[in-house]
Amino acid sequence: GAGVSQSPRYKVTKRGQDVALRCDPISGHVSLYWYRQALGQGPEFLTYFNYEAQQDKSGLPNDRFSAERPEGSISTLTIQRTEQRDSAMYRCASSLAMGQGYTFGSGTRLTVV
Amino acid sequence: KNQVEQSPQSLIILEGKNCTLQCNYTVSPFSNLRWYKQDTGRGPVSLTIMTFSENTKSNGRYTATLDADTKQSSLHITASQLSDSASYICVVSGISNFGNEKLTFGTGTRLTIIP
């Protein structure tokens, strides 16, 4: 596609429910990042994929968070048993290769009530 | 711990004036440094990217500098316009323990241009 696409744009969920956030990167982009941004805060790194390999997941807050990119293109970030503190804007970014410019998606605004 | 600190947190200036935003980092090993502009509710948009060997890079009215020895960068905006109102985020790329590039984000400077 022309840009990085994320869905849904908005997600409101009850505490304790699981959510899955989708990122569709630019076609051919090898590197894919997930990060989240709480209101008034700077973005926080979550995890990184190189093709289908999740090379760095050191930013995932705890084991309720997981991500996959099984075919090296679309990625899914899953949050199990959501908590109110998970509320944030979740963005993904993709890049043709390491060291190249990143294109960010418009994000998924997650609200846990 | 890799950190990126930006100052000031917020800045208000008159249209037409110049301003300079600061970024200090402790990311190591260092790969490159990027400045992004983020309008409210939008994703960040890249302004400049500089590697270790580059001291300055311009993009229109935006000029970024990098001092890799002191681990400092600045973004200078010339002849500000109302459309420059946004958050400006400094992002430093390093190499993680896993061998991949890892981005560390600053908390941003909120710039407001008033007529």
Side-chain angles (χ1 to χ4, degrees):
Chain A
V4 177
S5 177
Q6 289 187 247
S7 60
R9 287 293 303 272
Y10 302 94
K11 177 71 177 178
V12 180
T13 189
K14 287 187 176 179
R15 189 176 53 178
Q17 297 293 306
D18 299 348
V19 295
L21 313 181
R22 174 184 164 127
C23 171
D24 194 348
I26 292 174
S27 178
H29 277 198
V30 168
S31 299
L32 186 147
Y33 277 86
W34 280 99
Y35 71 97
R36 71 177 177 180
Q37 187 171 13
L39 203 60
Q41 304 283 321
E44 171 191 19
F45 167 79
L46 294 177
T47 187
Y48 167 82
F49 287 87
N50 184 39
Y51 293 103
E52 72 281 2
Q54 188 177 18
Q55 293 195 329
D56 187 347
K57 55 181 180 179
S58 61
L60 296 177
N62 50 60
D63 59 9
R64 295 187 296 105
F65 287 73
S66 63
E68 61 175 10
R69 194 187 184 196
E71 297 178 0
S73 56
I74 293 170
S75 177
T76 302
L77 176 71
T78 300
I79 308 173
Q80 295 178 308
R81 305 180 302 282
T82 52
E83 301 177 4
Q84 286 186 324
R85 59 179 172 158
D86 299 334
S87 296
M89 174 71 82
Y90 288 81
R91 294 193 197 274
C92 80
S94 72
S95 173
L96 191 59
M98 198 168 87
Q100 301 297 310
Y102 285 83
T103 301
F104 288 82
S106 53
T108 294
R109 168 68 68 186
L110 174 67
T111 303
V112 182
V113 297
Chain B
K1 181 183 176 182
N2 291 336
Q3 285 188 315
V4 177
E5 296 182 347
Q6 291 187 244
S7 62
Q9 263 193 336
S10 62
L11 182 62
I12 302 173
I13 63 172
L14 288 173
E15 184 180 10
K17 297 295 186 183
N18 304 336
C19 67
T20 301
L21 315 180
Q22 300 291 342
C23 172
N24 297 338
Y25 63 92
T26 59
V27 175
S28 181
F30 172 85
S31 177
N32 57 68
L33 184 146
R34 313 156 192 254
W35 282 94
Y36 283 88
K37 178 185 178 186
Q38 184 173 20
D39 293 310
T40 302
R42 314 284 291 266
V45 174
S46 180
L47 295 175
T48 62
I49 175 171
M50 288 183 291
T51 60
F52 182 88
S53 59
E54 295 175 293
N55 300 120
T56 185
K57 183 161 281 189
S58 292
N59 177 1
R61 294 180 296 101
Y62 301 99
T63 299
T65 65
L66 172 65
D67 185 335
D69 291 330
T70 61
K71 295 184 168 56
Q72 295 180 326
S73 175
S74 66
L75 179 69
H76 186 73
I77 304 174
T78 305
S80 61
Q81 300 176 359
L82 296 178
S83 59
D84 293 332
S85 295
S87 288
Y88 291 82
I89 303 174
C90 174
V91 184
V92 181
S93 174
I95 306 298
S96 81
N97 293 335
F98 307 95
N100 59 276
E101 186 179 27
K102 181 172 180 177
L103 305 181
T104 303
F105 294 82
T107 52
T109 292
R110 178 71 206 173
L111 177 64
T112 303
I113 311 298
I114 56 177

